[in-house]
Amino acid sequence: MLSRNNVSLRGKNILGLEYFSAEEINLVLDTAKEMKNIIHRDIKKLPTLRGKSVVTLFYEPSTRTRTSFELAGKYLSADVVNITSSTSSIVKGESLRDTLLTLEDMGVDAIIMRHSAEGAAEYATKVVSPVIINAGDGAHAHPSQGLLNLFTIRQHKGKLAGLKVAIIGDIAHSRVARSDIWGMRKMGIEVHLAGPKTLLPRFLQEEPGIFVHDRVEDAIKDADVINVLRIQLERMKSGLFPSLREYARIFGLNKQRLALAKKDVLILHPGPMNKGVEISPEIAYGLNSAIQDQVQNGVAVRMALLTLTLTGGKNNEITD
Ligand code: NCD
């Protein structure tokens, strides 16, 4: 049932799900559900963001996140410009601050930013006035990925509260894991974490609703959802596990391990996948996999974020 509330994301910088309330998360998920219908239309266009300009500013590689933000903006009639570090004045040594100021001078309404430094998006909010959406800052946060994971889980399970989710793999370097943990706890999901000891963050501690396991099997047991993470070799300064083969054997999601979860367990992976390492191909493309749904839902969730931050959305209606 729809009810009115004072929840609004208008003008809000999207830095991490730690700054979201459960009501705000629900508002994004409900708006994304409406937006998803547009993606299936023959003519994918809404006038919502006509006259608004959006820049994607990516200092790290991306396929899904950048493309889905770009398409989200275009489906909503915004003017979207993409900047990557390799093809801009960043290669000439221009600082992040100057790049941001340049974009602000050009009248940009929102900057969607990915950077290898934790806190880069927050820094941007201190320097310029356009809405800043964090599309990944180092190992800190990736809020739109956390939201699309919640959306995908709700789509398949019909609810969020009370579910058991296992997050397995390279937790230490994963901004997806951090955004998942924040978002899932706010929505009443029980989170079970497991991975090699060297890939579990040192500060990670059990607290109500968060459980840390030594063995992947213990995290997966009776899980409703398993979110598999990629080994982020690019963020490791030295070898943190013996070999990829060894990792696959002890921590990879295979058929035997999958059998420990609930029969209708949902498999998530943010992509890109290292198939045969953290996940076997038969599971990645198997019946329980929602990995393709995640990609499509990513466009819908990003359409919702752009609409809500740049226009405030439709009368701030949210679902109870
Ligand atoms: C993730 C990222 O960049 O943090 N990917 C994504 O956004 N789809 C996870 C990853 O790179 O492993």
Side-chain angles (χ1 to χ4, degrees):
M1 200 176 59
L2 285 175
S3 70
R4 285 191 180 275
N5 202 312
N6 283 334
V7 185
S8 170
L9 295 180
R10 191 177 190 139
K12 185 177 164 103
N13 298 305
I14 309 297
L15 300 180
L17 295 187
E18 59 268 49
Y19 308 114
F20 271 69
S21 65
E23 288 76 19
E24 288 172 330
I25 292 175
N26 271 325
L27 176 63
V28 176
L29 302 189
D30 293 341
T31 309
K33 198 169 169 200
E34 290 172 31
M35 294 296 170
K36 199 171 164 178
N37 299 325
I38 314 296
I39 303 170
H40 298 293
R41 282 195 199 158
D42 199 21
I43 296 171
K44 298 180 246 300
K45 215 54 158 182
L46 282 184
T48 319
L49 297 184
R50 207 165 46 196
K52 304 274 185 205
S53 52
V54 172
V55 169
T56 66
L57 175 62
F58 275 54
Y59 287 77
E60 280 193 342
S62 170
T63 302
R64 276 151 285 262
T65 307
R66 202 202 51 72
T67 309
S68 56
F69 266 116
E70 178 179 354
L71 285 176
K74 287 183 168 163
Y75 292 166
L76 294 164
S77 306
D79 292 308
V80 185
V81 176
N82 301 307
I83 301 180
T84 53
S85 47
S86 57
T87 55
S88 71
S89 286
I90 296 161
V91 284
K92 300 181 188 168
E94 184 161 60
S95 68
L96 174 58
R97 183 188 168 85
D98 286 350
T99 303
L100 291 165
L101 290 171
T102 303
L103 296 176
E104 182 177 48
D105 289 341
M106 291 182 184
V108 162
D109 295 290
I111 301 173
I112 295 148
M113 209 178 123
R114 172 170 286 190
H115 200 283
S116 59
E118 285 88 16
E122 194 184 343
Y123 167 77
T125 67
K126 309 263 192 299
V127 178
V128 289
S129 57
V131 164
I132 303 292
I133 300 183
N134 182 7
D137 60 331
H140 168 238
H142 191 353
S144 61
Q145 182 72 42
L147 289 165
L148 79 88
N149 288 350
L150 289 173
F151 185 91
T152 307
I153 296 170
R154 200 177 77 164
Q155 173 198 340
H156 284 270
K157 300 289 174 195
K159 62 172 187 175
L160 294 173
L163 294 177
K164 173 181 174 177
V165 177
I167 303 177
I168 59 171
D170 183 358
I171 316 268
H173 299 98
S174 176
R175 51 198 175 205
V176 176
R178 275 175 192 71
S179 285
D180 274 345
I181 294 168
W182 280 110
M184 287 174 182
R185 284 309 300 139
K186 297 230 162 137
M187 304 314 284
I189 289 175
E190 196 176 275
V191 182
H192 291 254
L193 304 161
K197 271 219 155 57
T198 49
L199 296 181
L200 292 175
R202 250 165 305 186
F203 61 81
L204 199 65
Q205 273 178 11
E206 294 215 339
E207 50 182 87
I210 302 181
F211 303 85
V212 184
H213 301 274
D214 289 334
R215 295 173 68 247
V216 167
E217 288 79 359
D218 296 333
I220 289 176
K221 194 169 177 308
D222 296 326
D224 296 289
V225 180
I226 305 173
N227 190 7
V228 187
L229 301 173
R230 182 175 68 88
I231 305 271
Q232 311 236 336
L233 289 170
E234 75 274 25
R235 294 192 207 288
M236 294 181 199
K237 291 185 185 68
S238 59
L240 294 174
F241 54 90
S243 72
L244 290 177
R245 247 180 80 190
E246 176 94 343
Y247 182 89
R249 197 171 60 77
I250 303 176
F251 297 100
L253 186 60
N254 55 26
K255 250 181 151 170
Q256 291 74 25
R257 294 202 172 104
L258 188 70
L260 299 167
K262 293 217 176 100
K263 233 185 143 73
D264 61 349
V265 65
L266 197 67
I267 306 301
L268 304 180
H269 190 304
M273 288 186 270
N274 293 309
K275 290 185 292 291
V277 181
E278 71 263 8
I279 190 166
S280 72
E282 56 187 355
I283 294 177
Y285 301 116
L287 287 176
N288 296 75
S289 170
I291 297 169
Q292 291 305 115
D293 289 338
Q294 283 177 280
V295 175
Q296 182 167 102
N297 292 339
V299 180
V301 163
R302 287 161 182 138
M303 288 172 80
L305 284 175
L306 288 173
T307 301
L308 291 167
T309 54
L310 293 178
T311 74
K314 286 195 331 178
N315 298 327
N316 307 326
E317 286 183 337
I318 65 159
T319 299
D320 267 339

